[in-house]
Amino acid sequence: MTLLLGFALVAALGIGHHYGLLGVRAMKPNSNERPQGAIMVAFVGLLALHTIEILAFAVVYKVLLGWGLGALGGTYDASWNGLIYFSGINFATLGYTQIESSGPIRIINMMQSLGGFMVLTWSATFLYSVCERAWRE
């Protein structure tokens, strides 16, 4: 059951990321006319998008912990900062942290790591394409 929930969360992450990328692309100036502006808007837009994704998973962890679907231990201090840190580490580094998870929530951690890896590489490709267009001679 938790694997299906994790799958659904990562699917929602991918769909949201797609529309977030479309938003960043719409806000970015033309790479041929304002190349540095295009790169900066793309970078800051991606930073905002990933921060929102990390915060969304922190909310998911708060709900799942409230439902008793696992526990966080180690250096976890039961604060929003702790949840945001845990979510961000799972998202960006495949879960290597001083916070330990137990119970069914571990599957969500694993799926978030997979989803984070996927959207981070997607974003890197997007940023690379913006830079490639902006840096053409």
Side-chain angles (χ1 to χ4, degrees):
M1 180 67 176
T2 311
L3 183 60
L4 289 176
L5 176 59
F7 184 91
L9 289 168
V10 172
L13 171 68
I15 292 166
H17 193 77
H18 169 72
Y19 286 104
L21 285 175
L22 291 177
V24 171
R25 188 178 75 174
M27 290 187 302
K28 158 187 96 48
N30 185 309
S31 296
N32 294 325
E33 296 170 8
R34 296 185 46 219
Q36 302 310 314
I39 293 169
M40 291 303 111
V41 169
F43 182 85
V44 172
L46 291 172
L47 177 62
L49 180 58
H50 289 298
T51 300
I52 291 166
E53 293 163 349
I54 288 166
L55 291 172
F57 264 92
V59 170
V60 167
Y61 289 125
K62 178 73 170 173
V63 170
L64 294 176
L65 290 169
W67 289 346
L69 289 177
L72 299 179
T75 62
Y76 177 62
D77 64 2
S79 68
W80 276 107
N81 283 340
L83 285 172
I84 293 167
Y85 171 78
F86 182 68
S87 177
I89 293 297
N90 279 319
F91 188 86
T93 67
L94 303 179
Y96 296 113
T97 178
Q98 305 91 349
I99 298 174
E100 299 170 9
S101 62
S102 61
I105 202 167
R106 292 182 325 156
I107 299 298
I108 303 301
N109 301 107
M110 182 229 11
M111 293 301 289
Q112 184 193 14
S113 294
L114 174 62
F117 176 76
M118 292 172 72
V119 299
L120 286 169
T121 55
W122 190 359
S123 291
T125 302
F126 176 81
L127 185 59
Y128 175 81
S129 68
V130 170
C131 290
E132 191 272 329
R133 277 187 230 110
W135 291 338
R136 278 189 200 147
E137 294 184 336

